Structure formats: C-alpha cells, structure tokens
Amino acid sequence: DTEGPPPARFSVAVYPNPTTERVVVEGERLDHVDLYDLLGRRLAQIDGAAAGRVSIALPATPGVYVLRIAHADGVTTRRVTRR
C-alpha cells in the first residue's frame, strides 16, 4: 500500500470583513474569484489571481455578498458584509 500524506487543505484569508468598500482575498494557488449577490447573480469575476492576492471592490449597496474562490484544490466560498 503506497498511501501518501493527505493533501494539504487550502487556506484563504478574506479581510476586512465586514468592510465599507473593498475586500482582499489572499491564498496560495488562486485561479479566479467570483462575486455574487444573495440572489445568485454574478456581479464580478476577477481573473489572474495566481499572484495570491486580489482586491475586490464591493457594490455600493450595503448587504451580504458571496465570494466564490477557485483554486488548485477546488472551490471555497466566503460571505462578506458591506456596511
């Protein structure tokens, strides 16, 4: 049996949360980040996140938004609040 170590878990930081304007997404092996409202409408897609850090401007309307963060190991979602 040649079972190796378990795959490393993807780690992502989203800050500040809550925010008044922008959020920063940091993580290794990012592919792209999509921004959605709570109705499931995609509001933005940020490509080229491979540098490991992207800054995203949230819509002016206060509320809760969802970030769909695609990375080498799959997809992670985070909720962010705009005040």
Side-chain angles (χ1 to χ4, degrees), residues 5-78:
R9 290 197 55 177
F10 176 73
S11 174
V12 65
V14 177
Y15 60 89
N17 190 18
T19 187
T20 56
E21 184 178 341
R22 304 182 78 79
V23 293
V24 173
V25 178
E26 284 187 351
E28 294 181 16
R29 301 181 300 170
L30 295 177
D31 182 24
H32 66 272
V33 179
D34 295 321
L35 173 67
Y36 292 89
D37 65 14
L38 289 181
L39 297 176
R41 296 178 294 205
R42 185 168 66 185
L43 305 175
Q45 180 175 7
I46 298 86
D47 290 319
R53 183 178 191 271
V54 293
S55 178
I56 301 165
L58 296 180
T61 306
V64 176
Y65 297 89
V66 176
L67 295 173
R68 182 180 180 274
I69 304 160
H71 50 87
D73 297 324
V75 175
T76 299
T77 58
R78 295 285 189 275

